[in-house]
Amino acid sequence: MGCVHGKCCGADDYCCCCCCCWCCGDSSAAGSEGGGGGAADVAPCGVVLHNDGSLLGQRRQVLLGAPLGSAAVPSHHFRLVYSSLSQRGHYPESPDRENQDCLCIRTRLQDNPNLHFFGVFDGHGQFGAQCAAFVRDRLVDILSADTRLLDSPAEAYASTFLATNTELHDSSIDDTMSGTTAITVLVSGDTLYVANVGDSRAVAGVWNGSAVVAEDLSCDQTPFRKDEYERVKQCGARVLSVDQVEGVKDPNIQHWGNEENDDGDPPRLWVPNGMYPGTAFTRSVGDSTAESIGVIAEPEVKVLKIASHHLFFVIASDGVFEFLSSQAVVDMVSKFEDPRDACSAVVSESYKNWLEHESRTDDITIIVVHIKDLSHDPSEVMVFFKQAAKLPKLLRG
């Protein structure tokens, strides 16, 4: 949910993917060379799409995630096994619109085998793809170079986001009305540091002894949140839905419901005397115009100690969470031992749900990271997979 208006290396320690998907034989991988076509095309990042049947009048897309990646955390004797997938949105009026999502996976930051980074960046505005790619590259570089990263990760994270924001402002990219949200996870030994700017999301799958429950690792920064609403109001923002701005509904009454039921017309931020920028989030990187009304690049950082009951975590753009709850996503991921299959299932279901509700889809990006070799009770893990296999095939929020 934005305004109204790749590269991938096979090495174990570095992977950045941007706009890496091929859609129904149509190549749409930014930065790639060569053409596509045919029933199964392989993008540079390893994403494969097969056509086999139909879905709402279109060839159905069976999505296979990027190749498995693995990163050890020797200090605490566990492994991270991960995969990712980014699906370009379907925009009937702009069929050539590029994917504005991108992602980054980089292991062994600072050449430290216990430091690993995962991030999803959801660009918006005319130059959203450029903003997302810029932030993807610079944020992880700046973070990796910060000498405080091991001793004060949260402090390093905050400084990194602000420095990246300044660099984007000073770059050749026009971020006046463009920018990107960012949801990132730094694994430092047995601790997760989750830094969020915007309305993408991170969630963990937690075994409670009888089921896998979702634990949100971030909180969407939107005007639905009272604290964020009050903060941007104090900065001079008008917070109104599109219907309110256009006079269809009373601007003096908060007609919007909650984030799970906003009828497609959420509260947005507007300058005092203009019909812009219309952002549905209260924090982002870039968006220099929106900064004047309180849209900031300062992240909220959540810290989580990894324990034996943490099975996996998911990082995804709001293209996933628009019609799926955190629990629904965790339920789907729980069905699969292979994160590649989990990525494919979640993206396919998200895409399907979009087309059931609207004539378009958002860009959809996800990273699934399994936490392996922790001291899980083997009997409990077997119960987990047996119960997961019995879950309904398609789960909705």
Side-chain angles (χ1 to χ4, degrees), residues 346-365:
V346 173
V347 171
S348 296
E349 179 69 356
S350 300
Y351 195 92
K352 174 177 173 289
N353 283 349
W354 272 95
L355 292 181
E356 287 178 347
H357 289 84
E358 301 190 17
S359 61
R360 69 174 186 93
T361 79
D362 198 357
D363 302 323
I364 301 168
T365 300

Side-chain angles (χ1 to χ4, degrees), residues 61-389:
Q61 299 173 349
V62 180
L63 307 176
L64 303 180
L68 277 179
S70 179
V73 183
S75 64
H76 291 81
H77 313 292
F78 67 87
R79 292 181 301 123
L80 305 173
V81 179
Y82 53 84
S83 188
S84 60
L85 179 58
S86 186
Q87 169 65 46
R88 179 168 63 92
H90 171 62
Y91 297 92
E93 296 181 356
S94 304
D96 298 325
R97 175 171 167 166
E98 62 186 321
N99 188 345
Q100 293 188 304
D101 283 3
C102 62
L103 63 92
C104 178
I105 299 171
R106 189 182 295 186
T107 61
R108 298 177 61 95
L109 263 64
Q110 299 183 345
D111 202 30
N112 185 328
N114 301 303
L115 276 178
H116 310 296
F117 176 89
F118 303 85
V120 168
F121 308 90
D122 182 354
H124 52 263
Q126 183 178 356
F127 305 106
Q130 294 95 313
C131 290
F134 181 95
V135 173
R136 171 203 63 195
D137 295 337
R138 290 301 299 142
L139 190 141
V140 68
D141 284 344
I142 296 171
L143 185 67
S144 184
D146 198 312
T147 57
R148 297 166 295 179
L149 188 56
L150 277 177
D151 296 329
S152 304
E155 184 179 343
Y157 244 145
S159 175
T160 292
F161 269 80
L162 296 177
T164 304
N165 189 55
T166 298
E167 285 196 11
L168 179 56
H169 289 339
D170 295 339
S171 74
S172 60
I173 301 170
D174 181 1
D175 72 343
T176 306
M177 299 282 283
S178 300
T180 184
T181 64
I183 180 70
T184 68
V185 175
L186 176 71
V187 181
S188 179
D190 66 344
T191 307
L192 300 184
Y193 295 89
V194 184
N196 180 47
V197 167
D199 56 1
S200 293
R201 191 179 303 175
V203 58
V206 183
W207 178 251
N208 71 358
S210 60
V212 184
V213 297
E215 178 181 353
D216 282 325
L217 303 180
S218 63
C219 184
D220 299 356
Q221 296 151 352
T222 73
F224 284 111
R225 278 177 49 176
K226 183 177 180 180
D227 57 341
E228 289 293 282
Y229 171 84
E230 294 295 340
R231 184 180 62 77
V232 296
K233 287 282 288 184
Q234 291 178 5
C235 293
R238 289 188 300 153
V239 182
L240 303 167
S241 68
V242 171
D243 277 351
Q244 288 176 310
V245 168
E246 294 179 346
V248 177
K249 293 181 178 179
D250 188 342
N252 297 311
I253 301 176
Q254 291 188 6
H255 291 280
W256 56 85
N258 55 50
E259 201 154 6
E260 285 70 38
N261 182 24
D262 61 21
D263 298 324
D265 189 20
R268 296 177 180 272
L269 275 61
W270 314 87
V271 296
N273 299 304
M275 295 283 285
Y276 61 90
T279 63
F281 43 80
T282 55
R283 302 192 190 202
S284 76
V285 183
D287 292 292
S288 58
T289 297
E291 280 190 357
S292 66
I293 52 172
V295 176
I296 58 176
E298 181 180 351
E300 291 182 310
V301 181
K302 180 171 182 176
V303 181
L304 175 71
K305 203 79 166 179
I306 300 174
S308 60
H309 55 272
H310 292 113
L311 302 177
F312 57 82
F313 61 88
V314 177
I315 313 168
S317 64
D318 71 323
V320 166
F321 294 105
E322 182 71 16
F323 299 108
L324 290 172
S325 68
S326 295
Q327 186 61 55
V329 170
V330 163
D331 287 343
M332 294 187 73
V333 173
S334 299
K335 295 170 62 180
F336 303 97
E337 294 186 59
D338 191 323
R340 293 172 294 186
D341 297 330
C343 288
S344 178
V346 173
V347 171
S348 296
E349 179 69 356
S350 300
Y351 195 92
K352 174 177 173 289
N353 283 349
W354 272 95
L355 292 181
E356 287 178 347
H357 289 84
E358 301 190 17
S359 61
R360 69 174 186 93
T361 79
D362 198 357
D363 302 323
I364 301 168
T365 300
I366 187 171
I367 302 173
V368 173
V369 183
H370 282 189
I371 304 171
K372 299 285 190 178
D373 300 337
L374 282 172
S375 55
H376 300 302
D377 183 322
S379 62
E380 287 191 348
V381 175
M382 285 305 298
V383 171
F384 154 59
F385 281 117
K386 286 180 180 179
Q387 290 193 352

Side-chain angles (χ1 to χ4, degrees), residues 7-16 44-45 67-69 82:
K7 172 179 71 174
C8 184
C9 303
D12 177 66
D13 63 346
Y14 186 84
C15 175
C16 282
C45 65
L68 277 179
Y82 53 84

